[in-house]
Amino acid sequence: MRTPTVAVVAVAALAAGCGTDPEARAPATPALSWSGAAPSPSTSSGVRVSTPSPAAGTPAAPRTTTPSRISEGWEITVYYTAVERFHNDEDEQVTGCLTLDCSHGDDDLGSYPSGFVQAVQDEGTGQTTSGKYLNWSYDIGYWLDTEPRSSDGTTLQPFVSAAADPNVLPHGTRFTIADCGTQEDGSAPPDTVCDRLSQASWLITDEFTPGLGGNHHIDAYIGPETGPGFTDSDWYLTLVDATLHR
């Protein structure tokens, strides 16, 4: 079962300070401990520091790289954009905002399959058959949009956008997945899934609903669902004891 929902917050709401529930905000969490030695030049993804050419007869100064920082014991779940055409259960009416600059509106946003509406609330975003996006967050409710949104108001990018507790991994933090760990049942994740997640360069642009998530939990956005029964596919998984590299 999927765990926390990401809080997708509209642009105007961000400017007004929406997206944070003062009563639900968890106390500040101490910074995580990242450890590890500097990587070898052949494998480093860090920024290499240039040094001036030494004068003749002067031993060359060693070239340096930024240290690798490794953090273990992470839980990683995926989140995705629901797609209306893959859902065919009974319709339900949805009310909310027709624009970004309101919250908990009561405009008629249309009727959609109930499974699609539930997926939008679970995942934060869904693509309708009209091509628009039905988005949801705990402090905005539903709204129609032209894009699936991160909590910073930008477009969610598959295999880039990620969500975390902002007290643990601040907005703008970049990382890669160095080790996928295992699935919840202890089995190894499918190679194709682990390879794709590990090859991606992730960026924290989203955040969990306050009170959910936890200190070592990340949601990784993988794009729109690819067909009916997506949640039974290899791609809908939770990784435990994963290792991050930053």
Side-chain angles (χ1 to χ4, degrees), residues 10-220:
V11 177
L14 289 172
C18 292
T20 302
D21 182 349
E23 295 181 359
R25 181 185 296 170
T29 305
L32 293 176
S33 174
W34 297 80
S35 62
S40 64
S42 61
T43 60
S44 171
S45 60
V47 177
R48 191 178 299 278
V49 179
S50 299
T51 55
S53 299
T58 303
R63 301 181 71 183
T64 60
T65 60
T66 54
S68 291
R69 288 177 287 180
I70 297 295
S71 183
E72 301 176 335
W74 286 85
E75 180 177 317
I76 302 173
T77 54
V78 300
Y79 68 114
Y80 63 93
T81 293
V83 177
E84 182 185 1
R85 65 188 177 91
F86 296 142
H87 299 263
N88 56 13
D89 36 341
E90 186 175 350
D91 282 357
E92 67 174 88
Q93 185 179 13
V94 176
T95 59
C97 295
L98 293 170
T99 61
L100 286 169
D101 57 348
C102 83
S103 63
H104 299 293
D106 57 6
D107 291 306
D108 182 3
L109 303 185
S111 295
Y112 308 94
S114 58
F116 171 74
V117 174
Q118 183 61 57
V120 169
Q121 192 170 94
D122 290 342
E123 306 302 322
T125 180
Q127 186 178 33
T128 70
T129 54
S130 70
K132 290 188 175 182
Y133 289 85
L134 179 66
N135 292 332
W136 181 90
S137 76
Y138 77 98
D139 59 348
I140 298 296
Y142 292 102
W143 78 94
L144 287 178
D145 205 331
T146 57
E147 303 285 351
R149 300 282 179 184
S150 287
S151 61
D152 65 355
T154 59
T155 302
L156 286 167
Q157 299 182 58
F159 297 97
V160 174
S161 302
D165 185 328
N167 291 323
V168 179
L169 290 182
H171 180 279
T173 299
R174 293 187 179 275
F175 69 92
T176 57
I177 299 172
D179 189 320
C180 290
T182 67
Q183 298 189 80
E184 291 178 295
D185 63 2
S187 64
D191 288 342
T192 54
V193 176
C194 179
D195 289 348
R196 185 68 182 89
L197 294 174
S198 299
Q199 290 165 6
S201 178
W202 299 95
L203 177 66
I204 299 295
T205 62
D206 230 337
E207 62 185 62
F208 291 128
T209 300
L212 300 178
N215 294 346
H216 273 67
H217 195 159
I218 284 174
D219 259 10

